């Protein structure tokens, strides 16, 4: 592990890095919800629910713990797994997922599990079966009157904007002006305005990370865009609000950003941890903080930042500590960082499964 002394700086917003949904490993058009052969039937559902598997796919994109304590593990091409502490169950397109790449997992006020998948699909699990919802979406023109936000709303990524689920309606809200071409506004075709991640902050604002237009904030009345200091261009893959109210954005190339409500700062650039070679040639940079995929905070207030090519960084508000496979991390490609109800951090990696951090060491998560 390497320690870097840093000078305390004004807290600001960070930008996350995401990969294109249309170029992910294990994703094919045959997994689209329009394929009738992939739609579930009751027999298949109950067979799946009564069947168990012994291990989780090694390519992890998302982790979530529901209100009952069950863990859900989304993969890059093998669907989603549910683990109740004893039984591990796998769900794929055969059981009703819109796609086998699972990027986001949420829970609504009724305990239903919502899964955001590749090719901008959305499926809901009601405890018995999965149902695809993106074939029932209401397409809007994104006018000011159509933008609304309630505390119970769920937000999902889309090709030219966002999907908002406000019970019982799923609406598509495009960002691009109405004068833009159909490709830019299309919900299932990626454009510069395509959304990769969303966050609802403590004040009720909703934040969106986009493919190439930086970060957008919706405050219930207006949309405000943050594009300066390198935030726009590469994709924003991660958004996080810490316990102090600071917003962090993760960008795939420009690094980590802070936003304190007034000032946007490129944290990576300030610390001299950027990777100019990646922007030019795509060369990875171990020891850099340029390609950020995930951000979280532990119970001690430390900020954890996962990269796709340089392991994990911990920021204690004064010092940066760098962890790689040399320190027990199972992979230097970290897709997601999740904090469970007990405050433990889970790290989902690209190709090397899941590991946990107990405050001292990393341990691979294996179901026995």
């Amino acid at each position: 592990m390497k320690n870097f002394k840093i000078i305390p700086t004004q807290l600001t917003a960070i930008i996350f890095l995401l990969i294109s949904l249309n170029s992910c490993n294990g994703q094919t058009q045959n997994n689209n919800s329009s394929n009738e052969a992939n739609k579930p039937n009751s027999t298949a559902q109950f067979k799946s629910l009564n069947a168990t598997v012994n291990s989780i796919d090694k390519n992890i994109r998302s982790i979530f713990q529901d209100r009952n304590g069950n863990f859900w593990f989304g993969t890059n091409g093998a669907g989603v797994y549910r683990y109740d502490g004893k039984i591990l169950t796998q769900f794929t397109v055969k059981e009703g997922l819109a796609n086998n790449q699972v990027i986001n997992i949420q829970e609504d006020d009724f305990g239903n599990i919502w899964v955001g998948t590749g090719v901008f699909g959305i499926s809901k699990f009601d405890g018995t079966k999965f149902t695809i919802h993106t074939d029932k979406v209401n397409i809007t023109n994104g006018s000011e009157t159509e933008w609304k936000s309630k505390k119970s709303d769920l937000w999902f990524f889309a090709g030219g904007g966002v999907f908002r689920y406000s019970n019982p309606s799923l609406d598509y809200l495009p960002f691009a002006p109405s004068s833009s071409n159909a490709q830019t506004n299309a919900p299932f075709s990626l454009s510069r305005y395509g959304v990769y991640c969303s966050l609802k902050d403590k004040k009720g604002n909703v934040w969106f990370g986009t493919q190439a237009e930086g970060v957008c904030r919706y405050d219930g009345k207006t949309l405000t865009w943050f594009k300066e200091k390198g935030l726009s261009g590469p994709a924003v893959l991660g958004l996080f609000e810490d316990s102090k109210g600071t917003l962090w954005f993760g960008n795939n190339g420009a690094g980590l950003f802070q936003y304190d409500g007034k000032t946007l700062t490129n944290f990576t650039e300030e610390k001299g941890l950027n990777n100019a070679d990646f922007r030019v040639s795509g060369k990875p940079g171990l020891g850099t903080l340029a390609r950020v995929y995930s951000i979280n905070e532990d119970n001690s207030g430390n900020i954890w930042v996962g990269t796709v090519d340089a392991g994990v960084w911990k920021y204690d508000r004064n010092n940066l500590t760098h962890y790689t496979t040399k320190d027990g991390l199972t992979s230097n490609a970290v897709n997601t960082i999740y904090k469970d109800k007990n405050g433990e951090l889970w790290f989902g990696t690209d190709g090397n499964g899941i590991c946990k951090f107990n405050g001292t060491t990393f341990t691979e998560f294996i179901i026995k």
Side-chain angles (χ1 to χ4, degrees):
M1 125 186 30
K2 298 179 181 179
N3 291 284
F4 295 80
K5 184 70 177 180
I6 65 173
I7 300 174
T9 60
Q10 185 178 20
L11 294 179
T12 53
I14 308 175
I15 305 180
F16 260 129
L17 106 97
L18 281 184
I19 60 178
S20 171
L21 300 179
N22 292 328
S23 62
C24 294
N25 295 331
Q27 177 178 315
T28 66
Q29 291 300 319
N30 289 334
N31 288 337
N32 198 308
S33 60
S34 62
N35 189 336
E36 291 298 323
N38 289 335
K39 292 192 174 181
N41 57 64
S42 57
T43 302
Q45 289 287 354
F46 285 106
K47 282 184 178 180
S48 172
L49 288 171
N50 291 326
T52 61
V53 290
N54 297 319
S55 62
I56 301 171
D57 187 84
K58 295 293 186 180
N59 295 289
I60 303 299
R61 290 300 304 276
S62 53
I63 301 173
F64 180 76
Q65 185 180 20
D66 65 29
R67 63 178 63 182
N68 295 318
N70 301 309
F71 280 95
W72 296 79
F73 304 104
T75 72
N76 206 42
V80 64
Y81 296 80
R82 181 186 61 189
Y83 182 58
D84 65 4
K86 295 181 180 180
I87 299 174
L88 180 68
T89 306
Q90 182 181 15
F91 303 93
T92 68
V93 292
K94 294 179 180 179
E95 287 75 54
L97 288 185
N99 187 274
N100 278 335
Q101 184 190 44
V102 176
I103 302 168
N104 177 267
I105 307 170
Q106 304 179 61
E107 184 173 16
D108 66 23
D109 288 344
F110 302 99
N112 299 305
I113 300 299
W114 292 78
V115 175
T117 73
V119 293
F120 309 107
I122 301 172
S123 296
K124 182 185 78 172
F125 183 70
D126 63 5
T128 301
K129 64 182 184 301
F130 273 98
T131 304
I132 295 172
H133 277 252
T134 26
D135 55 2
K136 308 169 186 175
V137 64
N138 173 39
I139 307 295
T140 77
N141 61 19
S143 65
E144 184 175 328
T145 57
E146 292 169 327
W147 278 88
K148 302 173 184 177
S149 179
K150 296 189 302 185
K151 184 178 181 181
S152 59
D153 289 348
L154 301 181
W155 300 83
F156 302 89
F157 41 76
V162 293
F163 291 117
R164 177 195 61 210
Y165 177 73
S166 186
N167 189 28
S169 176
L170 179 66
D171 301 308
Y172 171 62
L173 302 168
F175 282 132
S178 57
S179 59
S180 299
N181 61 46
Q183 175 72 19
T184 300
N185 284 295
F188 303 107
S189 181
L190 185 63
S191 74
R192 293 181 60 86
Y193 291 92
V195 168
Y196 282 122
C197 52
S198 65
L199 167 73
K200 184 173 287 187
D201 68 23
K202 297 179 181 70
K203 297 179 180 178
N205 302 307
V206 188
W207 299 76
F208 308 101
T210 71
Q211 163 69 17
E213 294 292 332
V215 173
C216 180
R217 180 187 66 199
Y218 177 59
D219 63 5
K221 295 180 180 179
T222 59
L223 297 173
T224 303
W225 292 88
F226 298 79
K227 302 182 181 184
E228 63 270 27
K229 301 187 179 181
L231 188 52
S232 63
V236 175
L237 302 184
L239 302 169
F240 183 74
E241 181 182 23
D242 68 23
S243 57
K244 297 181 182 294
T246 299
L247 274 297
W248 299 83
F249 309 143
N251 184 289
N252 189 11
L256 186 66
F257 290 71
Q258 288 179 317
Y259 181 66
D260 65 357
K262 296 180 180 179
T263 305
L264 178 67
T265 301
N266 187 322
F267 184 95
T268 291
E269 196 170 85
E270 282 198 349
K271 306 309 171 190
L273 295 172
N274 53 317
N275 179 11
D277 289 340
F278 172 72
R279 300 293 296 272
V280 175
S281 64
K283 183 180 179 181
L286 190 64
T288 66
L289 184 56
R291 303 189 61 197
V292 179
Y293 271 49
S294 54
I295 308 165
N296 215 311
E297 181 179 12
D298 63 26
N299 283 350
S300 297
N302 301 306
I303 302 300
W304 291 78
V305 184
T307 73
V308 75
D309 61 353
V312 172
W313 294 81
K314 181 182 74 173
Y315 176 48
D316 67 2
R317 316 288 178 160
N318 289 297
N319 299 297
L320 276 168
T321 304
H322 190 203
Y323 299 92
T324 68
T325 53
K326 293 181 179 180
D327 305 296
L329 195 65
T330 57
S331 171
N332 288 329
V334 178
N335 290 327
T336 185
I337 304 174
Y338 183 77
K339 184 168 74 172
D340 67 21
K341 299 180 187 302
N342 293 323
E344 291 188 284
L345 294 181
W346 298 64
F347 301 82
T349 73
D350 188 19
N352 285 282
I354 303 164
C355 62
K356 299 172 66 177
F357 186 72
N358 63 9
T360 304
T361 59
F362 291 92
T363 303
E364 184 178 4
F365 175 69
I366 300 175
I367 296 176
K368 298 179 181 180

